[in-house]
Amino acid sequence: MPRFELITDVQAVPETVFGACLDVDLHTASMGTTSAERAVGGVTTGRLRAGEAVTWEARHFGIPWRMTVRIIDYRWPYGFTDNQISGPFGRWHHEHSFTRNPTDFSATVMRDVIDFTAPMGPVGRFVAGLILRPYLQRLIARRNAYLAATLARLPRSAGEETGAEVPGDGGAQLGHKAE
């Protein structure tokens, strides 16, 4: 089963990064220029919560596809996991984790671990290793760079500058009501 991991430094506290990674509108904006990805089912705007699902529609390799993922594990503000419940992969399991940067308390180390399989047996395994894994790594890295740049432009709160806990999940900073 192909697996890859990406580490991204983000200039925002984990609470803010957690909320941003569950923001459907921010995800759509991050993917708009590459795959015209958009939410077409489930939660189509705002922030995903524990147990909720979103159906994405996009075009990759010139082929249209749909994928529905559900948030199966929700550990605010440390991480969450989404799994494909329908779509093009034999399996899609994406773990997101967020830890405060030990040398900069106003920053977060964001870690993505993705395990997936392609359909079609041995041919799918060959295609997944040769083509899909590098393509997906670039796609997720591009999304993470967009997210990091967007969050770096947000004004810092007093809690972020001092490393103090910031109440809520950071959503208010992205224009969504924090819980």
Side-chain angles (χ1 to χ4, degrees):
M1 166 172 20
R3 178 182 194 273
F4 63 91
E5 177 179 343
L6 294 173
I7 304 290
T8 307
D9 292 318
V10 183
Q11 290 300 306
V13 295
E15 295 83 354
T16 301
V17 180
F18 181 95
C21 287
L22 287 165
D23 188 292
V24 172
D25 303 301
L26 188 57
H27 179 90
T28 300
S30 74
M31 297 297 207
T33 60
T34 57
S35 62
E37 192 162 317
R38 61 192 181 106
V40 297
V43 177
T44 59
T45 190
R47 178 153 318 133
L48 289 158
R49 291 176 174 48
E52 291 184 330
V54 60
T55 299
W56 300 106
E57 186 175 80
R59 184 173 289 277
H60 296 280
F61 303 109
I63 301 167
W65 62 271
R66 279 184 178 223
M67 180 168 128
T68 302
V69 296
R70 180 175 310 283
I71 305 302
I72 62 159
D73 184 27
Y74 190 92
R75 303 170 320 282
W76 182 87
Y78 306 106
F80 66 92
T81 302
D82 59 88
N83 271 357
Q84 174 188 279
I85 54 177
S86 68
F89 295 99
R91 178 176 190 267
W92 175 268
H93 181 83
H94 184 173
E95 295 177 22
H96 307 254
S97 64
F98 314 100
T99 55
R100 197 172 296 271
N101 185 320
T103 61
D104 179 358
F105 277 178
S106 65
T108 298
V109 177
M110 180 171 70
R111 180 175 176 242
D112 292 274
V113 178
I114 298 171
D115 292 301
F116 70 97
T117 60
M120 300 187 306
V123 172
R125 282 192 295 277
F126 177 75
V127 169
L130 186 66
I131 298 169
L132 285 178
R133 182 180 16 216
Y135 178 79
L136 291 169
Q137 282 178 290
R138 286 190 305 272
L139 191 70
I140 301 295
R142 193 168 32 246
R143 180 207 185 279
N144 288 355
Y146 180 94
L147 179 78
T150 299
L151 293 179
R153 290 192 299 269
L154 292 177
R156 298 295 182 117
S157 73
E160 285 183 284
E161 292 168 2
T162 64
E165 284 300 311
V166 178
D169 65 359
Q173 295 179 4
L174 295 171
H176 298 293
K177 183 178 176 184
E179 294 182 69

